[in-house]
Amino acid sequence: KSAQSSCILSTPGHFVASVASAEQQVCTPGKFASGNGNAECSPCLEDSFSDQTESFECRICPIPLRTHGSGSRSCDACEASYYWDSSRQDEEL
């Protein structure tokens, strides 16, 4: 048997960042890891979010809510002095 036969790939929502690790780590809110064998979690893209640990995907913010960049844990309404322009929806997402 090879030495790798006892090694297990990380599962969705988890990652293993270092060599010789004895356990996988969970992705924190605002990040995700899809599929098996992740070395890190990826931040949710702008206008998507993850509000839980162990996420394997991010959810898209419902209109008219937005995020303020990538890696968001939640969606927010437009800031004061801004409004949601639904005619530009396809351009924005």
Side-chain angles (χ1 to χ4, degrees), residues 71-89:
S72 293
R73 299 175 180 193
S74 63
C75 301
D76 299 308
C78 292
E79 297 175 20
S81 76
Y82 290 85
Y83 72 99
W84 178 260
D85 183 357
S86 61
S87 68
R88 297 184 61 196
Q89 177 181 346

Side-chain angles (χ1 to χ4, degrees), residues 10-17 21-28 33 38 41 54:
S10 62
T11 57
H14 299 84
F15 71 102
V16 178
S21 181
E23 61 186 15
Q24 61 184 357
Q25 303 295 314
V26 299
C27 294
T28 56
N38 300 292
C41 298
E54 302 181 69

Side-chain angles (χ1 to χ4, degrees), residues 56-71:
F56 57 89
E57 65 183 0
C58 297
R59 296 184 288 173
I60 295 174
C61 294
I63 294 172
L65 302 180
R66 309 290 306 258
T67 64
H68 298 287
S70 62

Side-chain angles (χ1 to χ4, degrees), residues 5 9 11-12 29 35 40 44 49-50 52 55-57 60 66 77 79 81 86-87 90 93:
S5 64
L9 286 173
T11 57
E40 63 184 7
C44 294
F49 73 103
S50 168
Q52 300 177 0
S55 292
F56 57 89
E57 65 183 0
I60 295 174
R66 309 290 306 258
E79 297 175 20
S81 76
S86 61
S87 68
D90 293 333
L93 294 177

